[in-house]
Amino acid sequence: QSTSRIELDEGNDELTHLSTVFNDMLDRMQRYIEQQKDFVEDVSHELRTPVAIMEGHLKLLNRWGKDDPEVLDESLQASLQEIERMKSLVQEMLDLSRAEQVEIHYKNEKTSLKPLILQAIINFKLIYPDFVFNLDDDIRDEIYVSIYRNHLEQILVIILDNAVKYSSERKEIHVSVAADNQNVDIAIQDFGEGMTQEDTEKIFNRFYRVDKARSRYKGGNGLGLAIARELLIGYKGTVYVESVLDYGSIFRIKLPIYQNEIKNS
Ligand code: ADP
């Protein structure tokens, strides 16, 4: 609270400076505590809902549902879906706490871009058969980026997952790649709900969600993009979004091209 802030009369430059530093620290701690509180609330809610849904299905099966193949199938599918949600929430929480407490192990390895993107799209087509995933056909085979492949996979999954989650009736996702000698640009475009200019800057902040209720209903917790950005920064990359409200968004991932060591001959 502001009661514990240091307030000084003007005059002593060093003390004034110290008090500014101290007050900044206090403000940051305060914000951090508030974010943590929000986070615990969000996580509890996130975990409570799938547990309640699964409990409902299991009780139904236990009473009579197991004798009806259709009900059995539906309840099993629904329960599995809820388990997936919980798993990804727990995974994201773990990633986040690892990112904060333990250093992420950034491994600058030579990763071939095209097969990784192709695989991600095959996976998404399997999980979301009602979506159309368009991929540029002219992605060169020999583009290599400097990043640990699991980290790039994780970043792609976060952004593709959002593209699906925040799509509207037009269930279409476009993926394209542009590269020069230095960098590669991966663009992931959706035609969903989009966002205001103001929100394009905030969505990479931890816990920030444009529409808390809607995002939560869609399985969101406001961590995905914060993780993606944190990972990319570690590889000297960036991610940003161009978006138009009610029209859609393009997320652009920028990464350095893998540079072969110069051979002395
Ligand atoms: P969440 O788990 O809520 O999806 P993210 O960090 O991945 O968390 O995203 C933060 C917020 O950014 C989301 O809640 C949503 O409001 C907004 N957002 C992310 N991707 C998109 C998108 N493709 N279209 C519209 N809004 C998006």
Side-chain angles (χ1 to χ4, degrees):
Q1 291 296 321
S2 53
T3 44
S4 34
R5 293 169 70 91
I6 296 179
E7 307 293 350
L8 286 175
D9 294 333
E10 280 174 39
N12 187 329
D13 280 352
E14 251 171 65
L15 265 183
T16 312
H17 175 69
L18 264 180
S19 73
T20 313
V21 172
F22 178 80
N23 287 338
D24 277 355
M25 237 168 67
L26 260 186
D27 288 344
R28 259 186 288 142
M29 271 170 60
Q30 191 69 36
R31 273 202 302 277
Y32 182 72
I33 291 168
E34 266 155 31
Q35 283 184 343
Q36 293 292 315
K37 258 166 58 190
D38 280 356
F39 181 52
V40 171
E41 256 169 48
D42 287 349
V43 168
S44 316
H45 184 100
E46 278 288 322
L47 290 174
R48 238 189 353 236
T49 311
V51 169
I53 293 174
M54 280 167 53
E55 189 184 17
H57 281 292
L58 290 177
K59 279 184 172 164
L60 176 72
L61 290 182
N62 200 27
R63 283 205 306 274
W64 56 269
K66 56 184 176 298
D67 302 323
D68 181 334
E70 220 169 277
V71 175
L72 181 64
D73 190 54
E74 204 184 302
S75 291
L76 286 179
Q77 290 311 322
S79 302
L80 283 172
Q81 208 176 327
E82 295 308 315
I83 286 180
E84 278 310 311
R85 279 186 56 183
M86 286 197 284
K87 265 167 59 184
S88 70
L89 178 71
V90 169
Q91 186 56 47
E92 284 181 0
M93 278 162 38
L94 280 175
D95 287 347
L96 192 82
S97 73
R98 270 194 212 118
E100 267 183 0
Q101 283 154 23
V102 189
E103 260 178 86
I104 304 179
H105 293 288
Y106 295 107
K107 283 197 274 182
N108 282 87
E109 61 185 24
K110 183 175 179 178
T111 296
S112 181
L113 187 65
K114 192 173 178 176
L116 206 143
I117 291 186
L118 285 176
Q119 190 57 53
I121 288 185
I122 290 170
N123 294 345
F124 268 82
K125 277 184 176 163
L126 273 176
I127 312 174
Y128 303 104
D130 51 335
F131 269 78
V132 176
F133 293 88
N134 285 323
L135 179 65
D136 248 3
D137 1 281
D138 55 347
I139 301 181
R140 283 190 284 123
D141 289 326
E142 70 285 6
I143 301 177
Y144 296 98
V145 278
S146 181
I147 185 170
Y148 176 41
R149 66 167 286 140
N150 288 5
H151 282 162
L152 181 53
E153 231 168 63
Q154 197 180 344
I155 294 162
L156 288 174
V157 166
I158 288 169
I159 291 175
L160 283 168
D161 212 45
N162 279 345
V164 168
K165 223 160 50 178
Y166 302 107
S167 273
S168 314
E169 302 90 61
R170 189 167 163 194
K171 298 182 186 309
E172 222 176 291
I173 317 275
H174 290 193
V175 180
S176 60
V177 172
D180 59 23
N181 291 335
Q182 300 296 322
N183 293 297
V184 60
D185 249 292
I186 308 164
I188 297 173
Q189 178 172 22
D190 66 65
F191 302 89
E193 56 197 59
M195 68 197 82
T196 62
Q197 180 65 33
E198 205 191 335
D199 279 326
T200 58
E201 280 141 40
K202 296 189 187 149
I203 55 166
F204 296 96
N205 293 341
R206 229 155 260 166
F207 312 113
Y208 187 81
R209 297 172 297 178
V210 173
D211 180 338
K212 276 206 178 224
R214 188 140 43 135
S215 158
R216 180 182 278 162
Y217 156 77
K218 291 183 175 185
N221 49 52
L223 294 179
L225 289 176
I227 294 169
R229 185 179 62 173
E230 183 133 10
L231 283 169
L232 279 160
I233 288 172
Y235 290 102
K236 300 195 167 41
T238 53
V239 54
Y240 64 93
V241 61
E242 294 157 10
S243 189
V244 178
L245 191 61
D246 294 328
Y247 183 79
S249 313
I250 305 178
F251 280 80
R252 294 188 187 278
I253 301 165
K254 200 169 176 175
L255 266 174
I257 292 278
Y258 183 86
Q259 304 292 344
N260 282 313
E261 279 156 58
I262 300 156
K263 292 191 190 88
N264 298 317
S265 52

